[in-house]
Each structure stands twice: as structure tokens, then as C-alpha cells.
């Protein structure tokens, strides 16, 4: 068995540091007060250790009482506990100790901790507040230069201003990165919401399309079957041959409906390995068969075509379904002795006009404007067309459906 070299199994130091930082951040998010207590205790302990001789090496006034040094050390470290929640208040609380530290010449190293508060102000507060922060932070240094000068003034102001700029620069960097991360998270959330909305809209549109297709297929064929069954029942007593023809027509219409329904349901199957039915959708070439079925159901239909029908398959399907739905409504609502007419006009520009009329009892939009009329309007709107449906003008009887598709735009 081959041994994996140790350098390939060793964890890169960057991954280790990144995981450590993530762990620290996770602990900080869960228990922020615990983290603040540890950090404050650390700096307080360091300041107290500095109390035992360390401050005397850099002070400009060795005669400062040790009691005052202890008070200043605590005043410069204890407020750090609330540095993140209230950084401006913490800086104002530390300002008297900073001024006393400069006035007495103690120059405790704990005074540098106010730069940590400046960092938090830069991260969490408006950047315009940095002007007074710079004044508050620089005032003790100016006081030290005036009261306890040592060499040129820039020897004290230069390092302080550089430290102040570094604290602000780090704060701006962290704030920019945090804002960028928040913006990315917001964008990701918006994209997720938009994706879910698009999925819901697509699902709703697909359900509407399927409902429209099933309504056209089942509604029309059931209406034809109903008409054939009624005619066969009346013909059974007087003409058994006519009754047998009606039964044959019912069987043929039923098979056609089942075939179209199976083709529609095959689209919804989850089994992608199953071969799909590649039978094309109905077109105007199938219009004669549709009209023959309606005539067999007992509705005389007259069809008139003007022009050359050279249009796309999608527009042909729209015209076919509108004719089918209009004749289905006539079968259901026109009553006995009604007749129907279908007029198709093809313009040389590519526009198409369809008019379907009947001589039945007509009706009102409230009784006939159901899912079928909605489906006709939706199909027409897909190609920028218009559809009008309503009773024929007086004194004519019946119902009229008028559709117009504009010139087909080039792809």
C-alpha cells in the first residue's frame, strides 16, 4: 500500500487560520458579552501590569502619584466593555482620563486603547462623526506638547496622527467589506425570492396552459359525443342503421379524445426515459375533420375560406382551438335547429380574420363567458390579436366570435 506523503496530508496554515477565525466569530455571535468581558479583562490586566514600573520608563513626570495612575489605568480600560454597543459614549467617558493623563505627563500606554474605540466608531457610526473623533483624539497629544514638550512638536503629533489614520483605515476596510457582504447576501436573498416567484409564475402559466388544452380537448369532444348520443337515441326506434352510425361516431370521437388526452398527459410524466408522443398539434389541415365531427353531432356548419392560408403552426393551432371552442359553445348553448358558419380570411400582409357565427338562442356574456372564452382570449393574446365575443346585432339571432391576428412579425 502506497503511503501518502506527509506534505500532502498536512493541513494548510491558511485553512487552519480561517477555521479558527470562523470559530471565534461564531462564539462572538452567540455570546458577545462573554467575548467583550474577556477582551476588557485582558487589557485591564495589561494596564495593571504596566502600573508596576512600566509606565515610569516613558513618562514625562515620574512624580505622578501611583493612586492616580491606578485610577487612570482603570478609567482607560473598563469602559471598553461597551465599546461595540456605544463606541461614542465610551470615547467620551475615556476623554477626561486622556486629558488628565496628558496634563499630568503620566503618558500611560493604556491611552492608546482609545484607538480601538475609534476603530469601532468608524465601523458602526456615520463617517461624518470622525471629525469630532479626530479632535477628541488629538487634543490630549496637543496638551502634552504644550505642557510637557520634548523635542519638536511633530515628534509627538506625527506618530499619533499616523496611528489615528491606521485605525480609521482599518475601520473603513472592515466596514466596506461588511457592507459588501451584506449587499451580496441581500442580492442572493432577492435572487432566491425572484427565482421562487419565477418558478411559481411558470407553474401557474403551465397549469393555465394545461387547463386550457384539457378544456378544449375534453369539452369539445364531450359536447360532440353528447350530440351524437342524443341523435342516436332518437334514431334508434326509427332507423337502427342511423343509430349504429351514431355509435360508430361516438366511438371514433372518444378514441380521438383519448389520444389527444394521452399526448397531453405524456408531457407531464416524470419518466423522462419513456418515449414521448410526437404527434403534431392540430392545424388548419385538420379543420375538415373537426367540422365533420360537429356535423355528425347534429350541428350544420358552413365553412368559407378566403385567401391562401400560409401561417405558422402556432397561429394555426390558435385558429383551430378558437373554432373548436366556438362550435362547442354552439353545441351546448345554441339549442335545436341552430346552424353555424365559419369564415376565415387571409390577407396578403399575413393578417388573419376569423368569424364564427350561429343562429341559436344566443345568450349573455354571463352565461357563456367561462373558461372557454378566457382560453380563447389568452390564445389570441399570445400573437397580439384581438377577440370579440357576444350576441349578434339585432335583428339577427345567435352568437358571434370575431378574431383578428395581426401580421406575423419576422423572427
Amino acid at each position: 500500500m502506497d503511503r501518502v506523503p506527509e506534505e500532502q496530508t498536512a493541513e494548510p496554515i491558511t485553512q487552519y487560520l480561517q477555521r479558527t477565525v470562523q470559530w471565534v466569530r461564531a462564539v462572538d455571535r452567540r455570546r458577545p458579552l462573554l467575548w467583550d468581558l474577556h477582551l476588557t479583562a485582558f487589557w485591564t490586566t495589561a494596564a495593571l501590569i504596566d502600573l508596576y514600573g512600566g509606565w515610569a520608563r516613558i513618562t514625562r513626570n515620574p512624580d505622578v502619584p501611583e493612586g492616580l495612575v491606578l485610577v487612570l489605568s482603570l478609567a482607560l480600560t473598563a469602559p471598553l466593555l461597551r465599546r461595540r454597543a456605544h463606541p461614542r459614549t465610551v470615547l467620551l467617558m475615556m476623554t477626561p482620563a486622556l486629558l488628565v493623563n496628558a496634563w499630568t505627563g503620566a503618558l500611560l500606554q493604556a491611552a492608546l486603547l482609545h484607538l480601538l474605540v475609534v476603530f469601532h466608531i468608524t465601523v458602526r457610526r456615520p463617517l461624518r462623526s470622525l471629525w469630532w473623533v479626530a479632535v477628541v483624539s488629538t487634543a490630549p497629544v496637543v496638551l502634552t506638547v504644550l505642557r510637557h514638550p520634548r523635542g519638536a512638536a511633530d515628534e509627538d503629533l506625527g506618530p499619533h496622527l499616523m496611528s489615528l489614520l491606521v485605525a480609521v483605515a482599518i475601520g473603513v476596510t472592515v466596514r466596506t467589506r461588511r457592507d459588501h457582504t451584506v449587499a451580496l447576501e441581500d442580492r442572493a436573498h432577492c435572487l432566491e425570492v425572484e427565482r421562487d416567484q419565477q418558478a411559481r409564475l411558470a407553474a401557474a402559466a403551465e397549469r393555465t396552459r394545461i387547463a386550457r388544452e384539457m378544456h378544449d380537448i375534453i369539452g369539445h369532444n364531450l359536447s360532440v359525443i353528447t350530440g351524437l348520443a342524443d341523435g342516436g337515441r332518437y334514431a334508434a326506434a326509427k332507423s337502427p342503421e342511423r343509430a349504429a352510425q351514431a355509435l360508430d361516431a361516438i366511438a371514433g370521437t372518444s378514441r380521438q379524445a383519448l389520444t389527444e388526452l394521452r399526448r397531453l398527459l405524456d408531457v407531464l410524466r416524470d419518466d423522462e426515459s419513456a418515449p414521448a408522443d410526437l404527434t403534431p398539434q392540430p392545424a388548419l389541415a385538420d379543420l375538415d375533420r373537426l367540422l365533420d365531427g360537429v356535423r355528425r353531432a347534429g350541428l350544420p356548419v358552413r365553412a368559407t375560406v378566403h385567401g391562401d392560408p400560409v401561417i405558422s403552426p402556432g397561429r394555426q393551432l390558435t385558429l383551430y382551438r378558437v373554432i373548436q371552442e366556438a362550435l362547442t359553445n354552439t353545441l351546448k348553448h345554441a339549442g335545436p335547429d341552430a346552424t353555424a358558419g365559419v369564415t376565415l380570411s387571409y390577407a396578403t400582409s399575413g393578417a388573419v380574420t376569423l368569424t364564427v357565427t350561429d343562429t341559436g338562442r344566443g345568450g349573455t356574456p354571463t352565461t357563456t363567458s367561462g373558461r372557454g372564452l378566457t382560453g380563447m382570449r389568452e390564445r389570441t393574446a399570445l400573437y397580439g390579436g384581438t377577440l370579440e365575443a357576444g350576441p349578434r346585432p339585432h335583428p339577427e339571432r345567435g352568437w358571434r366570435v370575431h378574431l383578428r391576428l395581426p401580421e406575423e412579425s419576422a423572427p
Side-chain angles (χ1 to χ4, degrees), residues 287-288 291 295 301-305 340-344:
L287 187 58
D288 291 338
L291 298 179
R295 293 186 183 109
V301 182
R302 182 187 69 260
T304 305
V305 179
V342 177
T343 302
L344 267 170

Side-chain angles (χ1 to χ4, degrees), residues 45-349:
T45 303
L48 294 178
I49 292 175
D50 187 58
L51 180 63
Y52 294 98
W55 69 277
R57 299 176 183 176
I58 60 174
T59 184
R60 297 186 185 180
N61 182 12
D63 299 328
V64 178
E66 293 186 359
L68 179 59
V69 174
L70 175 61
V71 172
L72 292 177
S73 298
L74 295 177
L76 293 172
T77 55
L80 294 177
L81 182 64
R82 305 297 295 172
R83 73 192 186 284
R84 290 195 292 185
H86 307 284
R88 290 181 297 184
T89 303
V90 170
L91 183 60
L92 293 177
M93 292 174 60
M94 296 174 66
T95 299
L98 292 173
L99 294 175
V100 172
N101 178 58
W103 179 267
T104 59
L107 301 185
L108 300 178
Q109 298 185 64
L112 296 176
L113 293 177
H114 83 281
L115 296 175
L116 181 60
V117 183
V118 172
F119 163 79
H120 285 286
I121 292 177
T122 307
V123 171
R124 291 174 169 80
R125 296 294 179 245
L127 295 180
R128 61 177 179 270
S129 62
L130 293 179
W131 292 107
W132 71 266
V133 170
V135 173
V136 171
S137 176
T138 308
V141 181
V142 174
L143 184 59
T144 300
V145 171
L146 295 177
R147 185 168 175 79
H148 304 283
R150 178 184 293 178
D154 57 355
E155 294 181 2
D156 292 320
L157 288 174
H160 169 74
L161 293 177
M162 183 64 65
S163 301
L164 183 62
L165 289 176
V166 170
V168 171
I170 296 175
V172 170
T173 302
V174 173
R175 179 172 186 160
T176 303
R177 180 178 177 83
R178 185 191 63 181
D179 293 343
H180 180 65
T181 302
V182 171
L184 290 178
E185 292 176 352
D186 291 341
R187 177 173 175 79
H189 177 69
C190 292
L191 290 176
E192 290 178 359
V193 173
E194 183 178 357
R195 179 199 61 193
D196 295 340
Q197 290 177 346
Q198 293 293 339
R200 286 194 294 269
L201 291 175
E206 185 66 13
R207 285 195 299 268
T208 301
R209 186 186 69 84
I210 294 171
R212 184 172 61 235
E213 292 288 344
M214 294 188 69
H215 175 273
D216 292 342
I217 294 171
I218 298 175
H220 170 74
N221 288 287
L222 286 180
S223 296
V224 172
I225 291 172
T226 302
L228 292 171
D230 291 339
R233 183 182 61 184
Y234 288 112
K238 298 180 180 181
S239 178
E241 294 181 358
R242 297 291 300 275
Q245 293 176 1
L247 292 175
D248 291 340
I250 290 174
T253 304
S254 300
R255 293 190 187 95
Q256 179 184 354
L258 286 174
T259 301
E260 294 185 12
L261 188 59
R262 287 194 187 100
R263 183 172 68 246
L264 178 61
L265 295 178
D266 283 342
V267 180
L268 307 178
R269 295 182 60 178
D270 294 332
D271 187 7
E272 297 182 357
S273 61
D277 188 356
L278 302 180
T279 304
Q281 290 276 33
L284 293 179
D286 303 309
L287 187 58
D288 291 338
R289 186 175 60 181
L290 171 67
L291 298 179
D292 290 340
V294 174
R295 293 186 183 109
R296 287 196 302 268
L299 176 64
V301 182
R302 182 187 69 260
T304 305
V305 179
H306 302 285
D308 186 14
V310 182
I311 57 176
S312 64
R315 291 157 70 93
Q316 291 190 41
L317 176 62
T318 296
L319 294 171
Y320 180 92
R321 291 302 189 196
V322 170
I323 296 172
Q324 182 184 55
E325 178 61 27
L327 295 177
T328 300
N329 289 337
T330 301
L331 282 172
K332 292 191 293 185
H333 303 293
D337 302 327
T339 61
V342 177
T343 302
L344 267 170
S345 299
Y346 303 97
T348 56
S349 62

